[in-house]
Amino acid sequence: MRKQSPIIGIIFWVIVSFLTLFPIYWLFVISVKPAVQLFSTPDVILSDPYWGNYAKVWGDRLLRSYMLNSVIISTGNAVLCTILGFFACYALSRFNMAGKESMFFWTITNRMAPPAVFLLPLFLLMTQVYAVGDWRLLDTRIGMILVYCTFNLPFAIWTLRPTVEGIPKELDEAAYVDGASPWKVITEVVFPLCRPGLAVTLILTWVFAWNEYLLAATLTNFNARTLTTGLSEYVTTTGTEWGIMATISVFTLIPALIVFGLVQKHIVAGLTFGAVKG
Amino acid sequence: MRSNALGWILLAPTLVILFFFGVLPFIYVVFVSFHSWNPFAANPEMVFNGADNFRRIVFDAEFLNSVGVTVMFVFFAVVSELIVGYLLAQAFMKDFPGKAIFRTIHTLPLIMAPIIVGSVWKLMTTPSIGIIPHYLDEWFGITMNIGTSATAAFTTIVIMDVWHWTPLVTLTLIAALVSLPPDPFEQAQIDGANKRQIFWHITLPMIAPAVVATVFIRLMDALRTVDEVWMLTGGGPGSATRFVGVHIFKEVFPKTNYGYGSTISVIVLYLTIVACWLLYVTMLAPRNTKKG
Amino acid sequence: MSFAYKLAGSALAITVAAGAAFADGHEDWWKQAAEPYQGVTLRGVTESSPPSLYIREVLAPQFEELTGIRVDVETTSWDQMFDKAIKDMEAGTGIYDMVYIEQDIIYSYLARDFLTDLTTLLGDNPDLQAPTYSEDNFTTFADYFKDDEGHLYGVPMEAFIKVYLYRKDLFEDADIQAAFKEKTGRDLAPATTHDEYAEIAQFFTDWGKENDMDLWGTTAQAHTGHVASWYEYFESIAPTFGVYNWGIDADNNYAASVENGGEMNSDTAKEALTWWLSMRDIAPPESVQSTWTEVGTTFGAGRAAQGLVYGENAGWIAADDTKSLVVGKVGVAMPPLADGILDEVEGGEGYVGYYDGGAFGLPTTSKQKEAAALFLQYIGQNEVQPDWAVAAPRVTNTATYDDPKVQEMNAELGGYYDMLKDKGYLFAGAPAYPFHAQVREATAPTFYKILTGDLGVSEGLDQMAAEAEAELTNLGYRN
């Protein structure tokens, strides 16, 4: 291929990165502006930052518990969905079960439902059916982990299937010939080979769960509230506290950024969607 | 091959969870969709009214409008994301200094919650005060007002969605391009094919599965978009950005119109499934069954 | 002392002065009354607003310290709050022992028997009746939370009127006064009629343009996709022209259209909307994206010379220098009115503007009614009111007006509390409709189209009246 001057490429990337980063930068700018300055003429360059919002958010015990809930719920959900999704994909790939293609498509349809109307039945189920004595599934972390499966499990199956299909079946057979149990084959032969795909699935389901708002806002009250629902507490009749909201948003970005950074190199390797192998 | 029983056992947890949290609520919604039910009506009880709701939906101009704007939104957003995502993915195929950093930067929007994205874009686009309309006016003399101009609001939402989700498309397309074998390209160059011919006849067919898979996910998610729009325009100006998700939200939340709202949802889910099914059977299923 | 400082101070009070309101020996009564409910946790849901946050941060901890009964208050956004309370009460789950009832939803809740009759509950259980609590302490705003027999269903916790706020500093500026006189031939003073208001608005918008200032003559709550605009027209503008109760005639089969005896699309209604739209057109450009919150922010940023602003926002605009650039520069006046409206209202028909607020009610589904009744009485006492009124501008008890702290604040707020006290009776809350949100949502999309200009005022209001009637028929109220 023809060699281009690297300068043009870099200029191109700087422009693209500027466009990508600007809204995030702006989020940060809002978080370090005192409320009086919000409705004045905007200034691109940040001068004289105000850190009061950060002190306020950091000192809020409720927000700290929301943060913990968010970490537990999204991590629990991502791990659960990745593992169950992997099992499901292994089943779809290695067995000739009747109707498995329909089954596969059906699992995906769970992600298509418009969420608003499903809140009422979920609320009723979680308060009246999935309840024992005084205990009910509503407003529990485990409840949210399970509810989030409705959109993350289909996604996990969808992204993992090509990865699992891509592992040659001869490897399984060889292991069976050596006398390995099916459980051993799945966990010790196939699972490690799928690592890149699993990593991608884990991170993306984690991000979807971390960012979910509507279900969390409706199906939690006191014990399992997440950071995104905390945001809605600052939309008040006497003024949306944009500064605080932006600060919380910056706080929600940090863990996501760390998780994302950790698996960055796996992402591309894992998202093959069964493209033609070379 | 081991017995199919093992396959079912492996699939079982998935099916059980989706049954309890997906199927049961769905059955309930279907049940409610055949009733008139608003807890603040003169009669607050659920009353069976046959297919009345379904009949009503055909003449519901507000609903039909929301389907129209949703389809437009999904079309413009997903197509733009594909084009921009492909161009960026191609650009990432070259080696250049700082590539890893630029790639990380490019994935950042993905990790932002939709509700946060909507808030930031709202603040950036508030007429006269937001930074975008402010500088558009100061530098180019262009007036941008998402509170009065349907076009401005719709375009802003499409751009916001492209900003938010193109990274996902880029990532999947990079993955597809990386795994392409070099031979056909070398052969084509020897044969004197130009760039366009190579793209249409070699690259595109080979990455098609990845493209379709990506479109599939974006399609599903774009059709359900609520949070960002809710924060940014609330469905306005007028009904210009009242997408079906927003429409359903307004129908079942403030209006507590559970019966009719359920009907709309059932119809929307049905249409979504049909659209996705067509995409799936024509583009993807043949490949899966061939392999399996 | 600035407003913000006082807010911080009241939060501090949690640790310093818990229970301090009871130096007079009533402490023992509370402790004894709470004896049977040790270990109980009460749960409430409310909109996150300064008065509610004060309950969560100050009153609930004080109450727990005094009685040993824990109170958890969930604060969330306005639409979420309604949805959660309704789902809980409709399904009979009993999650909440206290729900926030905004004045406009009370009739819907009463129609469904969602709320406990507090008068009867306390009457039947004399042991629960606190010596420091009495329904007589409340202002007349409490009447909105009573049924036909005068029984109370909620303890008022928030009450404010939507006032005409103007920039005193601009109205009193000699140069501006002279320029205004020259242009219009009359003295600059807060408007009493719509024509005067329009003239002043036009003057300041021009003045801002001529002097290259970010200043406009008015502001409007004119969001094109949020019900705030719908509310501003029906609750604050239409009444000043003489169209009350959304133009729906409850005594006449809930008629909305002129044809059937309603007024939603009457000539007066159309005149009112036309006037309001002409004001919106000379308001700051962000008005078309403004709800009640942004109107406050616009005013606080000094971008508007006058406007109709919710009283709860008037508080921070006038006194909180961390959020407002016009501290000490605002005056409060009555909304401008059409001819004859004031006489009509004083004569008992109609109202001049919006009186809003909310109460804490006790759902019939609560499993801790007695303990919750104790807490509701606690927040209804005169003793806790003054600090609360200072932390968040709201007055629910008559005695609160006379407290020195509140008097001091009244001066800071440009006489807002005086106006609430003396003129409050001219304002009114939402009409007594059990279908409040339903009719609003049914007509709002059309209203937004009028705002964007897709529909003319006349045909738009005609269409809305028809839609309101159709929805009322659909809901079974109209036949």
Side-chain angles (χ1 to χ4, degrees):
Chain A
M1 230 179 255
R2 202 154 30 91
K3 274 274 171 218
Q4 264 179 350
S5 156
I7 304 295
I8 298 169
I10 289 184
I11 291 173
F12 170 77
W13 284 110
V14 167
I15 293 172
V16 170
S17 302
F18 172 79
L19 292 176
T20 311
L21 284 177
F22 190 79
I24 301 173
Y25 166 73
W26 201 243
L27 182 73
F28 177 72
V29 169
I30 294 159
S31 75
V32 294
K33 261 191 188 180
V36 271
Q37 283 176 22
L38 269 182
F39 264 34
S40 55
T41 311
D43 233 331
V44 185
I45 308 298
L46 183 63
S47 58
D48 192 20
Y50 158 83
W51 298 101
N53 293 327
Y54 283 83
K56 226 168 170 179
V57 169
W58 190 246
D60 190 328
R61 76 197 145 77
L62 271 180
L63 285 176
R64 282 205 298 268
S65 77
Y66 294 173
M67 174 79 104
L68 182 69
N69 286 337
S70 275
V71 169
I72 292 172
I73 291 170
S74 39
T75 309
N77 176 259
V79 169
L80 184 70
C81 287
T82 308
I83 291 174
L84 293 187
F86 171 74
F87 286 159
C89 289
Y90 186 82
L92 291 170
S93 149
R94 301 300 203 265
F95 299 89
N96 277 317
M97 300 171 295
K100 71 175 185 180
E101 281 310 309
S102 310
M103 196 69 74
F104 169 69
F105 187 78
W106 169 76
T107 59
I108 310 299
T109 60
N110 281 282
R111 199 185 168 87
M112 300 173 191
V117 83
F118 283 80
L119 293 170
L120 179 65
L122 279 172
F123 175 85
L124 293 173
L125 284 169
M126 291 171 83
T127 51
Q128 291 171 5
V129 182
Y130 310 148
V132 184
D134 275 347
W135 183 88
R136 52 183 169 237
L137 199 55
L138 189 84
D139 195 23
T140 60
R141 290 165 182 163
I142 182 72
M144 292 318 291
I145 289 176
L146 291 170
V147 166
Y148 283 0
C149 284
T150 54
F151 60 84
N152 263 344
L153 205 42
F155 181 83
I157 293 171
W158 181 256
T159 35
L160 277 174
R161 191 169 182 196
T163 308
V164 179
E165 301 266 13
I167 308 296
K169 295 189 179 90
E170 293 74 20
L171 289 177
D172 300 32
E173 291 309 319
Y176 284 127
V177 170
D178 290 347
S181 67
W183 177 249
K184 230 176 163 159
V185 172
I186 296 169
T187 55
E188 289 178 20
V189 179
V190 184
F191 192 84
L193 288 170
C194 292
R195 247 183 324 218
L198 292 166
V200 165
T201 309
L202 192 69
I203 171 76
L204 288 176
T205 49
W206 190 89
V207 165
F208 285 128
W210 179 259
N211 288 339
E212 202 284 328
Y213 168 72
L214 194 57
L215 292 164
T218 310
L219 300 174
T220 66
N221 304 97
F222 301 97
N223 305 320
R225 283 176 82 79
T226 61
L227 218 39
T228 45
T229 67
L231 285 171
S232 67
E233 291 183 16
Y234 293 91
V235 184
T236 79
T237 41
T238 52
T240 304
E241 299 216 31
W242 294 113
I244 303 270
M245 280 183 76
T247 308
I248 301 172
S249 306
V250 172
F251 274 105
T252 66
L253 278 182
I254 294 168
L257 204 59
I258 293 168
V259 176
F260 222 72
L262 287 178
V263 291
Q264 173 69 223
K265 64 174 185 214
H266 294 297
I267 289 183
V268 169
L271 270 176
T272 55
F273 281 127
V276 186
K277 283 271 151 39
Chain B
M1 188 58 64
R2 311 304 110 177
S3 89
N4 282 345
L6 179 61
W8 286 113
I9 291 171
L10 289 170
L11 206 48
T14 297
L15 300 184
V16 168
I17 291 180
L18 291 180
F19 176 78
F20 281 110
F21 292 90
V23 176
L24 286 186
F26 174 71
I27 291 172
Y28 182 87
V29 170
V30 171
F31 173 74
V32 174
S33 72
F34 289 98
H35 294 75
S36 83
W37 182 26
N38 188 329
F40 297 110
N43 176 4
E45 304 302 321
M46 215 192 278
V47 181
F48 180 75
N49 68 353
D52 273 4
N53 292 342
F54 289 87
R55 236 189 320 264
R56 187 175 149 199
I57 212 169
V58 182
F59 304 102
D60 185 343
E62 204 58 51
F63 169 71
L64 297 176
N65 167 69
S66 77
V67 172
V69 288
T70 310
V71 169
M72 291 237 297
F73 160 72
V74 171
F75 176 78
F76 283 115
V78 174
V79 168
S80 315
E81 280 154 24
L82 262 187
I83 295 171
V84 178
Y86 176 76
L87 293 176
L88 289 176
Q90 268 300 355
F92 272 124
M93 296 312 288
K94 302 190 181 88
D95 267 324
F96 54 89
K99 179 168 147 175
I101 295 170
F102 285 123
R103 203 169 67 191
T104 309
I105 288 175
H106 185 60
T107 51
L108 286 182
L110 264 188
I111 62 179
M112 280 175 90
I115 182 173
I116 298 173
V117 171
S119 308
V120 179
W121 282 76
K122 179 189 165 80
L123 287 175
M124 291 198 307
T125 56
T126 306
S128 136
I129 300 164
I131 187 149
I132 296 175
H134 180 79
Y135 283 102
L136 277 180
D137 183 36
E138 196 164 301
W139 292 344
F140 308 105
I142 300 169
T143 309
M144 169 186 166
N145 190 329
I146 62 164
T148 50
S149 160
T151 320
F154 186 84
T155 314
T156 304
I157 286 182
V158 170
I159 293 175
M160 174 174 77
D161 200 75
V162 170
W163 175 81
H164 196 184
W165 292 112
T166 299
L168 184 70
V169 179
T170 313
L171 283 179
T172 55
L173 293 186
I174 291 176
L177 289 173
V178 164
S179 61
L180 290 181
D183 319 0
F185 293 92
E186 285 160 11
Q187 188 57 47
Q189 268 177 338
I190 293 167
D191 294 348
N194 63 25
K195 270 188 175 170
R196 196 189 310 157
Q197 286 167 327
I198 292 179
F199 172 77
W200 285 109
H201 295 293
I202 301 173
T203 317
L204 194 60
M206 290 177 93
I207 62 166
V211 171
V212 176
T214 313
V215 168
F216 197 89
I217 288 207
R218 282 305 306 134
L219 185 71
M220 276 196 289
D221 288 358
L223 281 169
R224 311 185 304 152
T225 306
V226 181
D227 296 1
E228 300 98 314
V229 184
W230 186 258
M231 288 307 295
L232 185 61
T233 61
S239 298
T241 59
R242 194 174 167 120
F243 301 150
V244 280
V246 178
H247 183 67
I248 292 172
F249 186 90
K250 290 195 175 187
E251 201 68 35
V252 294
F253 269 68
K255 212 172 167 186
T256 57
N257 204 352
Y258 298 141
Y260 188 55
S262 299
T263 312
I264 299 178
S265 300
V266 169
I267 294 288
V268 167
L269 182 56
Y270 175 76
L271 294 176
T272 310
I273 290 177
V274 168
C276 291
W277 175 253
L278 286 175
L279 186 69
Y280 178 73
V281 291
T282 52
M283 311 293 285
L284 286 179
R287 178 176 58 92
N288 279 344
T289 38
K290 223 179 351 195
K291 275 193 150 186
Chain C
M1 192 161 60
S2 86
F3 187 63
Y5 178 64
K6 275 181 259 178
L7 258 180
S10 49
L12 258 179
I14 311 168
T15 44
V16 184
F22 296 96
D24 51 1
H26 288 302
E27 248 178 85
D28 294 340
W29 182 89
W30 286 99
K31 284 197 194 322
Q32 207 183 345
E35 196 53 49
Y37 314 111
Q38 295 306 305
V40 163
T41 300
L42 295 174
R43 298 197 159 87
V45 64
T46 177
E47 181 190 11
S48 64
S49 61
S52 304
L53 290 175
Y54 188 84
I55 294 183
R56 192 179 83 183
E57 300 300 324
V58 181
L59 296 178
Q62 269 180 15
F63 181 74
E64 186 178 352
E65 173 111 338
L66 178 67
T67 63
I69 300 173
R70 185 181 158 85
V71 183
D72 282 344
V73 179
E74 177 186 349
T75 54
T76 183
S77 67
W78 185 65
D79 32 336
Q80 280 290 339
M81 177 262 304
F82 281 126
D83 176 66
K84 299 184 96 161
I86 291 170
K87 278 203 179 87
D88 178 42
M89 296 188 290
E90 173 74 26
T93 328
I95 298 171
Y96 298 121
D97 306 301
M98 276 122 28
V99 290
Y100 176 78
I101 325 162
E102 194 168 343
Q103 182 272 332
D104 51 24
I105 201 81
I106 178 84
Y107 310 102
S108 301
Y109 287 3
L110 287 181
R112 295 300 321 280
D113 291 327
F114 278 167
L115 301 171
T116 306
D117 175 350
L118 294 174
T119 311
T120 306
L121 179 70
L122 292 176
D124 291 350
N125 298 279
D127 293 352
L128 284 176
Q129 171 73 49
T132 45
Y133 168 87
S134 163
E135 284 178 14
D136 302 333
N137 290 339
F138 299 125
T139 62
T140 52
F141 186 68
D143 296 346
Y144 285 115
F145 302 97
K146 290 178 180 165
D147 64 6
D148 298 338
E149 290 165 44
H151 287 201
L152 190 70
Y153 286 80
V155 171
M157 53 158 283
E158 211 178 347
F160 61 85
I161 50 178
K162 192 168 183 183
V163 290
Y164 170 20
L165 214 58
Y166 65 95
R167 285 276 298 280
K168 253 190 326 200
D169 59 326
L170 297 175
F171 274 62
E172 285 164 7
D173 182 290
D175 290 345
I176 293 177
Q177 279 178 340
F180 185 80
K181 177 110 187 174
E182 193 190 330
K183 212 164 188 172
T184 65
R186 62 181 189 91
D187 289 327
L188 179 59
T192 56
T193 67
H194 296 114
D195 289 344
E196 285 176 20
Y197 186 93
E199 197 172 49
I200 298 171
Q202 188 64 54
F203 170 80
F204 275 111
T205 296
D206 293 345
W207 176 268
K209 224 179 269 169
E210 284 157 20
N211 295 288
D212 202 20
M213 294 161 75
D214 283 332
L215 178 70
W216 286 262
T218 179
T219 171
Q221 189 175 298
H223 199 293
T224 48
H226 187 283
V227 291
S229 51
W230 192 97
Y231 277 130
E232 174 143 304
Y233 170 68
F234 280 106
E235 287 174 342
S236 309
I237 305 299
T240 63
F241 283 81
V243 176
Y244 311 115
N245 300 325
W246 310 353
I248 295 175
D249 189 350
D251 299 328
N252 182 11
N253 196 19
Y254 292 110
S257 66
V258 174
E259 198 176 33
N260 294 323
E263 282 188 281
M264 194 182 269
N265 59 341
S266 69
D267 290 343
T268 320
K270 289 171 182 173
E271 184 195 342
L273 185 50
T274 310
W275 180 80
W276 183 59
L277 289 177
S278 72
M279 288 298 95
R280 178 207 60 181
D281 292 341
I282 53 171
E286 70 268 22
S287 300
V288 291
Q289 282 278 285
S290 289
T291 69
W292 32 72
T293 69
E294 286 85 12
V295 159
T297 318
T298 295
F299 207 98
R303 293 166 66 86
Q306 51 174 2
L308 293 176
V309 178
Y310 279 116
E312 50 183 348
N313 289 325
W316 65 259
I317 291 172
D320 182 353
D321 56 15
T322 65
K323 287 161 95 181
S324 167
L325 294 172
V326 294
V327 170
K329 295 176 184 169
V330 298
V332 175
M334 289 278 284
L337 301 172
D339 277 347
I341 297 299
L342 193 60
D343 295 337
E344 198 171 292
V345 173
E346 299 217 311
E349 194 202 337
Y351 45 92
V352 303
Y354 188 44
Y355 201 149
D356 188 31
F360 251 27
L362 176 50
T364 46
T365 48
S366 160
K367 295 179 178 103
Q368 308 290 350
K369 286 203 186 69
E370 291 79 13
L374 284 178
F375 183 69
L376 291 179
Q377 291 182 81
Y378 185 85
I379 65 172
Q381 305 172 98
N382 283 340
E383 285 81 350
V384 303
Q385 300 297 325
D387 285 333
W388 195 1
V390 170
R394 29 77 64 208
V395 168
T396 56
N397 295 30
T398 333
T400 314
Y401 288 118
D402 302 326
D403 188 273
K405 290 181 215 164
V406 175
Q407 284 290 326
E408 186 194 332
M409 190 153 170
N410 178 48
E412 258 183 66
L413 302 187
Y416 170 71
Y417 283 141
D418 282 344
M419 181 145 155
L420 186 64
K421 185 183 174 188
D422 301 335
K423 305 283 186 192
Y425 74 100
L426 297 172
F427 294 74
Y433 299 150
F435 45 75
H436 184 99
Q438 287 66 36
V439 169
R440 183 195 74 206
E441 289 300 321
T443 52
T446 308
F447 189 70
Y448 303 146
K449 282 176 196 132
I450 303 177
L451 294 186
T452 57
D454 292 338
L455 274 174
V457 168
S458 183
E459 55 176 324
L461 282 175
D462 289 347
Q463 199 173 315
M464 283 174 73
E467 282 162 352
E469 286 178 353
E471 179 69 15
L472 285 166
T473 308
N474 213 353
L475 290 170
Y477 290 102
R478 189 179 149 76
N479 42 49

